Amino acid sequence: MSIDAPALHERLREAHGALSHQRITGLFDTDSDRHERYQCHSNGLVVDFSKHLLNDHVWQLLVELASVHALPEAFAALVAGHSVNTSERRPALHTLLRGTAAEQHPDHTAAIRDTLSGMATLVTGIHTGAETGWTDQAFTDVVNLGIGGSDLGPRFICDALSTSEAPLRAHFVANIDPEDLDRTVGTLDPSRTLFVMCSKSFTTEETLSNADRAKAWLQAAGLPPHRLGQHFIAVTTQVNRAQQWGIPAERCFPIWDWVGGRYSLWSAMGLIIPLALGWSAFEGLLRGARTLDHHTLTTEPSKNAPMMMALLEFWQTRYLNANTHAVLPYAQTLQHLPDFLQQLTMESNGKRVSTTGGPLTSDSAPVLWGSAGTTGQHSYYQLLHQGTRSFSADIILPLISGRGDLTARRGLAAHALAQSRALMVGRSPEAARQIGQSRGFNEQECHQFEIPGNHSHSLIVMDAVSPECLGGLIAAYEHKTYFLAVLLGINAFDQWGVELGKEIATEIQPLLETGATASAIDPATRQAALAWHEANMT
Ligand code: F6P
C-alpha cells in the first residue's frame, strides 16, 4: 500500500460524513445525468452505480484508490501468471483458460489446447453416438459428480442455458448425503447414463463417495466390470489416481494447480457444459469471459466494470457499514447465480489476516446471499425494505431471458425495476401518515408504513441470458472478487479455513462407527455422536 493510502481513506471517511445525511433521490434531483456517468459497460453488460450514495467527489476518490492500491497492475500481474496465490506460491491463471494473454504462456497454452481438443472429440463422439454405454445405446443423461468449484459453476451455467433441444440432460450430485445421488439417479436409465467425476485434488470425500456409489449403481444394473470406463470421465490434477480408480487414460482430463477450483469452470471442470449444451455454448462462454478480461486489462478504472464493482463494494462495506450483499437476479434461469457467487466471493475473501499474516483492521468480504426475483420479494424483501440491517445489493435484469410469455416477462421486468426504485425512494413519513390515517391508525401507529429507502445498490442490465453474456458476467464477478482482495490486502486464492472441519470429521468417524468414546471430543459433540450411533448402528 502506498504511503498516500491512509490519507485517501481519511478523505473517504470525511466524504462519507458529508454524504451520510443525504438521500440518493436528492442526488438525482440536483444531478439528473448521474446514471450516465456512474456506469460501466462491456460485452452486453451495463453496470449502473447511480443508485449508490455517492457523488463525483466519492467517485473520484474511489478511482484514486484504484491507483493507490495499484489495481490495474495487480490485474496485469494475475494475467501474466505471477504468484498471486501467495500462501500456496502459485499463479491463478483462470484468464488463460479462455485464451487471455496466451502468447505469454506458450507451454500452458499448448496444454489447454490439447485438453480442449480432447474434450471436443469426446463430446462429438458422445453426441453422435460413437461413444456409448455398455448396451451400445447412446447416452441420454450426464451426471456431474463434484462439489464446490467442481460443481457450482457448471451447475449454474447448465441450468441457465438449458433448452428442450439439449443433446443430453444434465444432473449434478454434490452432497455426500446418499439422498442426493439416489434421488438423482432414481429416474435414470443406468445403461444410458454417463458420469463426469470432477475433483481437482481427487481426495474430496463427497465426490469419491458418490463416484463409488455411482459405480455400484451401474454394476447392480448389469454393467460388466470391463466396460466401466465407458460410463465415466474424470477431471483432475491427479490423472494417475483417476486411472487407478478405473477411468481409462483417454477419458481423464487434466486441470492444473495454477487454476483455483472456484475459478475453474472454463477448464475441463466445465465438461458437462458442452456435453449438455453443445460445444458452441462452451465456446461462447469462453469468448464472453475473454472479452471481459480484455475490458478489464485495457479500460481506465472509472470505466472498468469489475474494478468499479469492487471499489463500490469497498465503499459500501468500509464506509456505509453494509455487512451483507444480496444478489437478486430477475430471471429464473439465473437462480443458481447466488450459490455460485457465494463460493467465489466468500471462499475467496472470507479471510481475517493479510497476505503477510497481520490481522485485518476492518471487515473482509460481506456475506453474500440472494435468490431469483421475484420469489425473494415474497420472503426476505420485507427485511430489505423495513429491517434494521444495512446491506448492499446487485439487481440483475437480463433484457432477453427466454422466449416465454411476453406478458409474464414484462411483469418480471417491472418488478426488477420497481424494486430497484423502491430500495432507493422508500416511503416518506408524510406518505406513511396518509396511508395510516386513511386506515384509521393514530399518529404513532402510522410509522409502520414508513419505508426508509436510500439503500445503495447496483443495477446490472445484461443483453440476454446467452453464453457470451454469462461468460462476461462471471468474469466480471471473478475480477471484482480479486480487486476486493487487493484492496483488503488478502489472498483471494487460498481457503485454509475449510480444512479444520474436514480434519475433525475424520476424528468423529470412529465414534459414529463404534460408539467408543474419544477423550479429545467435547461432551456435547460426543452426546450427539452417540445418539447417531444408537439410531443407526445398533
Ligand atoms: O472444501 C473446499 C474445496 O477445497 C473447494 O475449494 C473446492 O472447490 C472443493 O473443495 C472441491 O475440491 P476438489 O475439486 O479437489 O474435489
Side-chain angles (χ1 to χ4, degrees):
M1 195 192 281
S2 127
I3 51 165
D4 292 338
L8 193 50
H9 285 291
E10 191 46 43
R11 287 166 67 199
L12 277 161
R13 231 180 310 279
E14 286 164 13
H16 172 243
L19 265 180
S20 58
H21 299 296
Q22 299 228 36
R23 292 195 61 84
I24 303 165
T25 46
L27 297 171
F28 265 106
D29 288 343
T30 54
D31 178 12
S32 58
D33 296 337
R34 54 190 272 120
H35 59 290
E36 284 166 13
R37 290 199 313 288
Y38 305 147
Q39 74 169 227
C40 300
H41 41 88
S42 172
N43 60 314
L45 293 178
V46 178
V47 190
D48 177 358
F49 303 105
S50 62
K51 291 177 189 156
H52 282 264
L53 188 67
L54 66 91
N55 56 16
D56 281 351
H57 179 52
V58 171
W59 186 261
Q60 191 46 43
L61 290 176
L62 292 175
V63 169
E64 280 179 45
L65 200 62
S67 113
V68 161
H69 286 266
L71 296 190
E73 292 80 358
F75 190 65
L78 178 137
V79 164
H82 294 190
S83 279
V84 292
N85 181 351
T86 45
S87 73
E88 295 177 308
R89 298 185 180 82
R90 56 196 190 203
L93 268 174
H94 41 285
T95 46
L96 185 61
L97 296 171
R98 49 245 191 178
T100 299
E103 66 295 343
Q104 296 180 36
H105 310 278
D107 293 347
H108 289 342
T109 296
I112 292 168
R113 288 208 177 120
D114 275 359
T115 306
L116 285 173
S117 141
M119 288 164 63
T121 305
L122 186 58
V123 167
T124 305
I126 288 166
H127 286 168
T128 57
E131 301 282 347
T132 64
W134 89 85
T135 57
D136 298 329
Q137 297 179 88
F139 290 109
T140 52
D141 294 86
V142 54
V143 183
N144 194 83
L145 304 175
I147 197 163
S150 305
D151 165 64
L152 292 165
R155 188 191 288 257
F156 162 50
I157 295 296
C158 286
D159 185 63
L161 297 175
S162 78
T163 66
S164 51
E165 300 95 53
L168 291 177
R169 287 185 292 263
H171 312 269
F172 292 84
V173 173
N175 200 329
I176 194 170
D177 185 336
E179 291 293 321
D180 197 3
L181 181 77
D182 295 350
R183 288 178 186 205
T184 303
V185 298
T187 56
L188 305 184
D189 174 352
S191 67
R192 306 189 73 174
T193 300
L194 175 68
F195 291 92
V196 187
M197 192 178 171
C198 290
S199 178
K200 182 179 165 185
S201 60
F202 216 78
T203 58
T204 302
E205 190 189 350
E206 291 88 341
T207 304
L208 294 178
S209 163
N210 281 323
D212 286 340
R213 296 189 66 251
K215 186 197 281 187
W217 176 71
L218 291 170
Q219 286 171 342
L223 168 75
H226 68 284
R227 301 190 77 172
L228 173 77
Q230 284 175 250
H231 284 262
F232 276 92
I233 300 170
V235 184
T236 181
T237 55
Q238 304 300 319
V239 168
N240 289 340
R241 280 201 220 164
Q243 287 175 30
Q244 282 159 16
W245 190 87
I247 303 179
E250 67 279 10
R251 284 171 170 250
C252 292
F253 291 104
I255 69 153
W256 306 275
D257 64 5
W258 40 265
V259 180
R262 52 193 174 273
Y263 298 84
S264 67
L265 77 94
W266 326 97
S267 70
M269 280 299 177
L271 182 60
I272 194 170
I273 299 170
L275 281 169
L277 305 171
W279 192 257
S280 67
F282 191 56
E283 276 183 334
L285 199 66
L286 299 184
R287 199 165 46 245
R290 188 166 61 241
T291 308
L292 204 290
D293 293 343
H294 184 256
H295 163 86
T296 310
L297 265 177
T298 57
T299 308
E300 62 179 279
S302 68
K303 299 278 168 223
N304 193 309
M307 218 175 272
M308 290 313 301
M309 285 165 79
L311 288 161
L312 262 297
E313 185 153 306
F314 188 78
W315 167 245
Q316 285 281 126
T317 51
R318 174 75 65 96
Y319 300 101
L320 276 66
N321 295 324
N323 49 29
T324 80
H325 183 78
V327 174
L328 309 168
Y330 276 75
Q332 189 63 23
T333 49
L334 302 183
Q335 63 175 328
H336 292 308
L337 177 64
D339 305 334
F340 168 73
L341 293 179
Q342 278 188 330
Q343 189 202 13
L344 176 67
T345 63
M346 296 202 280
E347 198 171 75
S348 294
N349 289 343
K351 307 286 165 65
R352 55 190 306 111
V353 297
S354 72
T355 45
T356 52
L360 296 186
T361 51
S362 60
D363 281 333
S364 55
V367 171
L368 186 146
W369 57 286
S371 63
T374 60
T375 48
Q377 289 173 208
H378 298 271
S379 166
Y380 51 79
Y381 274 48
Q382 166 61 34
L383 179 148
L384 299 184
H385 289 300
Q386 287 191 309
T388 53
R389 303 276 175 183
S390 153
F391 60 89
S392 60
D394 292 340
I395 291 185
I396 302 175
L397 174 63
L399 296 178
I400 305 287
S401 155
R403 297 269 162 208
D405 181 83
L406 182 60
T407 310
R409 285 193 285 121
R410 196 167 55 227
L412 179 66
H415 281 296
L417 297 175
Q419 290 298 333
S420 173
R421 184 165 160 71
L423 286 177
M424 175 173 70
V425 299
R427 184 188 290 129
S428 66
E430 298 76 49
R433 195 175 307 114
Q434 276 180 19
I435 293 175
Q437 284 172 351
S438 72
R439 295 181 188 190
F441 290 103
N442 68 32
E443 185 80 12
Q444 181 74 12
E445 290 165 337
C446 287
H447 291 307
Q448 65 195 308
F449 298 105
E450 290 175 12
I451 299 178
N454 218 26
H455 295 294
S456 290
H457 65 280
S458 303
L459 179 64
I460 301 179
V461 177
M462 55 194 278
D463 281 355
V465 180
S466 64
E468 284 80 1
C469 279
L470 288 181
L473 182 73
I474 297 173
Y477 275 109
E478 283 180 346
H479 304 335
K480 170 202 170 177
T481 301
Y482 173 57
F483 287 134
L484 198 62
V486 176
L487 289 166
L488 294 165
I490 58 180
N491 179 1
F493 302 109
D494 59 11
Q495 57 282 321
W496 300 109
V498 301
E499 298 305 324
L500 177 63
K502 294 182 195 171
E503 286 161 20
I504 297 177
T506 312
E507 290 165 19
I508 290 176
Q509 281 276 9
L511 177 54
L512 297 176
E513 195 178 336
T514 64
T517 52
S519 54
I521 287 177
D522 64 273
T525 307
R526 186 184 307 127
Q527 183 184 44
L530 291 179
W532 189 93
H533 174 81
E534 286 291 316
N536 290 278
M537 306 294 286
T538 56

